[in-house]
Structures are given as structure tokens and as C-alpha cells.
Amino acid sequence: MPLFDNHNRPINYLRLAVTDRCNLRCFYCMPEEGIHYLPKKELLTYEEIIRLVRLLAVHGVSKIRLTGGEPFVRADLMDLIRNITDLPGIKELHLTTNGILTAPHIPELKKLGLASVNLSLDTLDRERFKLITRRDEAERVKETYDLLLKHGIPVKINAVVMEGKNIEDIISLVELTRTQPVSVRFIEEMPFNGEGSHYTSLAWTYKKIIDHIRLHYPALEKITDPENSTAYHYRIPGYKGNIGIIAAFSRTFCGTCNRIRITAQGELKTCLYDDGVLNMKHLLRSGVSDAELMNELLKAFAHRAKDGFEAEQKRKNHQPAHESMSTIGG
Ligand code: SAM
């Protein structure tokens, strides 16, 4: 039986942040310095993750995404990937990565049947890449991108759209879809920057991003969105790839949200904008049975916020969302 929440939305997709550590310092995600990484014992162990994924898979969760921090920064990530792909009921394993340490693993990821990679890339310009990520790593990301395409692993590029930072990159990123079977997704910037800085309006909303692209490509056409997609999909006639626009700040997609998250600290989030509704790490380490564990999960799913606005209002710390996305995973 699939799991449903209190708003009758199916829950079949788990996004897991395997670490809070990252080898980039994207300004919209993390402060440059003064970051307190979690000690290793505060992360869920691979055994704990497998127990949880196995249990959720029995109850109909069939899609997993590993993210972080940067997932490949965690030691032996490939062991976890091999184990997850072996679990009955898991139909799709996806990864979100910045691509810096990813390339050597691509042949094995292909063999393991990895469903897709979301590659974060906000600009194709090396200097702007340095300014945004505070690291000079654009070449290695490009190498990963090329290898993923060469191995036929479906690629989605994630680009956060930021006033004054990468607006000039929107069209060059769209141009990748001319000859390559890639999905380029433009994401509204969210306040998850770890800085405590908050904003109530956004310069580059999903509508403005679409208008900007349409201005350059009047033939831009809307295409059907996959079920439960958070992106509005478009394509340019004759181009091989497509474009996705993700209204992550405007939160227009909550009505069909099928996803739950587990943060690097082991907190269950039933909405990106909540501040954790169940501490899985404490629960897993308290000696509970699988039945008790599942019972706690079901209770959390039965109290899920209707949308990201309600979730943000209900935060226990009464602070608007501001924590670093590196602990949540996107
Ligand atoms: N390190 C991996 C990577 O770079 O893809 C995975 C983790 S990263 C936190 C996941 C995604 O979150 C990236 O695509 C990143 O661009 C996005 N992200 C981080 N902070 C964000 C923010 N403030 N607003 C919108 N997206 C954000």
C-alpha cells in the first residue's frame, strides 16, 4: 500500500542528505567561514540509512535521492549506493552533486542503473563560477557533465537564478539544450543560506525567468510536466533538451508534493520549509522496533503541512527559514 499524508498526497520519494560537508561555498547556500560541521557520530550511519530506506520501501517509497552537502565528500558513498540499489522496492536512485568528485564513479554508477544526476551549475563562465562558489572548480564540473552525457546517464542541470550574479548565464545555459539531451532547470533563490538573512520578495521569480527566456525564444513552448514534478517544463522547438523552472520560493507545487527529506542531522522534514518534525537519529538509536519506527513516521505523515507557507509558520523556533541548504540537501 502506498503511503498518503493528511492531504491525500502520496509519499513515495525520499531525499536524503548524507553529509553537511561541502567542497564548494556557494554564497546563496553557505557562509564562507565559521561553519560548524557535524561530528561524524551525529550523521546517520550507512546501516541506519539502509534500515530506514528498507522500511520505507516496504511501505511504497520507491524513489531515493542522495544529496548533501556534497554526497561524494562522505567516505565510501559508493558502498551506500550499491546497498540502496540492491534493496527490493527501490525503483529509482538519483543523485544531486556539484560534480567535483563525481567523474571517477560514473562508469560504476551507470552499471548500477543510477536513474539520473542533478548537477548544480549556475554559470558556464569560469570567473562567475569562482565568484558564486568561492572555488575554482568549473573545469571539473564540466568534465563530469561531459562524462555523464557520454555514459547516457540522464542529466539535469540545477541553476539558481540570482540578480546581479548570473542573469547573463540564463541564455547560455538554455543553449545547452540545443544539441544536448539535458534538462536545464532554473531555480528561484530561497532563503536557505545559513546567514540568517531573510527576504520576503524575490527579484527573479519563476514568472520573470520564463518571461526572460521567452523574450529570447518567442517560440518557447510549454510541455507536459511529469507527475509530481516541481518544475514547469518548456522546450524550444528543434532543440534536443528541455527547460524546467522551479518556483521554490513562490511554492506553487505543494499540492502534488510526494517527497520527504532526512537532513544530515537525521531530522525528518515533511516539507522543505519546516524545521524538522521527527528526529530519526534519536529514534533509530533508542532501540525501537521497525513497527514502532513506522508508527512514528505515519504519525508525522498524518500531520503534514498543507504547503510551504504553513510549514514555515509552524516552525518550532518561530524563525523564518534561514538554515544552510547544505544540511537539507535541496
Ligand atoms: N552539493 C550538491 C550540489 O551542489 O548539488 C548537493 C547539495 S546542494 C545543497 C543541492 C541543491 O540545492 C543545489 O542544486 C543548490 O543549487 C541548491 N540550493 C542551495 N541553496 C539554495 C538556495 N538558497 N536557493 C535555491 N537553491 C539552493
Side-chain angles (χ1 to χ4, degrees):
M1 274 293 285
L3 297 166
F4 285 92
D5 71 9
N6 45 323
H7 303 283
N8 213 26
R9 294 170 294 200
I11 294 177
N12 52 24
Y13 177 14
L14 168 66
R15 298 163 70 102
L16 237 159
V18 295
T19 178
D20 59 338
R21 289 170 198 253
C22 193
N23 42 5
L24 293 182
R25 286 289 176 281
C26 303
F27 80 92
Y28 54 79
C29 181
M30 299 169 93
E32 185 163 18
E33 282 170 20
I35 300 159
H36 300 291
Y37 283 134
L38 293 168
K40 189 161 180 241
K41 64 178 179 5
E42 296 300 327
L43 299 175
L44 293 186
T45 64
Y46 286 165
E47 290 72 22
E48 288 166 338
I49 291 175
I50 291 295
R51 179 180 173 200
L52 203 52
V53 174
R54 187 194 304 274
L55 184 64
L56 285 166
V58 169
H59 293 269
V61 171
S62 58
K63 176 174 174 182
I64 308 287
R65 173 175 304 281
L66 300 182
T67 175
E70 172 49 37
F72 284 98
V73 164
R74 182 151 176 190
D76 305 322
L77 181 78
M78 290 305 291
D79 288 345
L80 179 67
I81 292 178
R82 283 181 212 111
N83 283 319
I84 291 180
T85 51
D86 265 357
L87 289 176
I90 298 303
K91 296 193 187 120
E92 293 177 29
L93 177 65
H94 302 255
L95 276 175
T96 302
T97 174
N98 60 30
I100 294 174
L101 302 173
T102 317
H105 305 290
I106 290 174
E108 186 179 0
L109 290 170
K110 174 71 183 172
K111 275 195 204 126
L112 290 169
L114 188 76
S116 81
V117 169
N118 284 10
L119 186 66
S120 300
L121 185 59
D122 304 313
T123 172
L124 298 174
D125 178 87
R126 181 171 170 189
E127 287 310 311
R128 279 198 293 279
F129 184 97
K130 269 203 273 184
L131 283 174
I132 292 171
T133 66
R134 300 164 172 144
R135 299 286 185 273
D136 188 8
E137 295 283 11
E139 275 311 304
R140 285 213 273 179
V141 184
K142 173 85 175 50
E143 185 195 339
T144 291
Y145 175 64
D146 291 342
L147 261 185
L148 286 167
L149 289 180
K150 188 172 155 216
H151 282 79
I153 297 180
V155 187
K156 293 178 185 170
I157 288 183
N158 280 353
V160 181
V161 178
M162 298 158 290
E163 176 67 29
K165 301 286 183 193
N166 66 345
I167 301 311
E168 53 274 73
D169 294 293
I170 295 177
I171 300 306
S172 38
L173 285 164
V174 168
E175 273 303 302
L176 291 177
T177 70
R178 181 192 286 265
T179 52
Q180 291 159 357
V182 60
S183 184
V184 175
R185 292 127 50 90
F186 296 101
I187 308 175
E188 286 181 348
E189 184 180 357
M190 294 178 273
F192 293 98
N193 47 36
E195 300 271 15
S197 53
H198 191 67
Y199 43 85
T200 49
S201 68
L202 190 66
W204 283 85
T205 61
Y206 71 101
K207 287 189 185 139
K208 185 163 169 180
I209 301 169
I210 297 168
D211 289 348
H212 179 81
I213 298 173
R214 187 168 281 123
L215 206 62
H216 287 77
Y217 303 96
L220 183 74
E221 63 182 29
K222 180 80 189 74
I223 54 174
T224 310
D225 300 317
E227 208 182 347
N228 305 114
S229 172
T230 53
Y232 299 119
H233 289 82
Y234 294 82
R235 74 179 182 101
I236 296 155
Y239 280 29
K240 277 198 172 158
N242 65 53
I243 298 154
I245 317 286
I246 304 184
F249 181 77
S250 306
R251 289 162 253 187
T252 55
F253 43 67
C254 304
T256 56
C257 180
N258 62 339
R259 54 195 65 194
I260 52 173
R261 293 174 168 82
I262 294 184
T263 66
Q265 294 94 329
E267 281 280 343
L268 172 75
K269 283 164 82 77
T270 54
C271 172
L272 178 57
Y273 281 84
D274 71 36
D275 56 352
V277 296
L278 183 62
N279 190 310
M280 300 309 303
K281 184 173 61 206
H282 292 168
L283 202 56
L284 283 159
R285 293 180 188 175
S286 69
V288 284
S289 67
D290 280 358
E292 288 163 330
L293 195 56
M294 201 58 220
N295 202 27
E296 291 302 315
L297 285 163
L298 290 174
K299 274 198 250 167
F301 302 159
H303 291 91
R304 206 167 169 226
K306 169 169 92 323
D307 56 33
F309 296 101
E310 184 182 309
E312 195 168 15
Q313 259 173 18
K314 283 183 165 170
R315 286 164 72 94
K316 297 179 286 297
N317 62 18
H318 304 295
Q319 300 279 320
H322 64 280
E323 57 272 28
S324 168
M325 193 65 98
S326 62
T327 63
I328 305 171

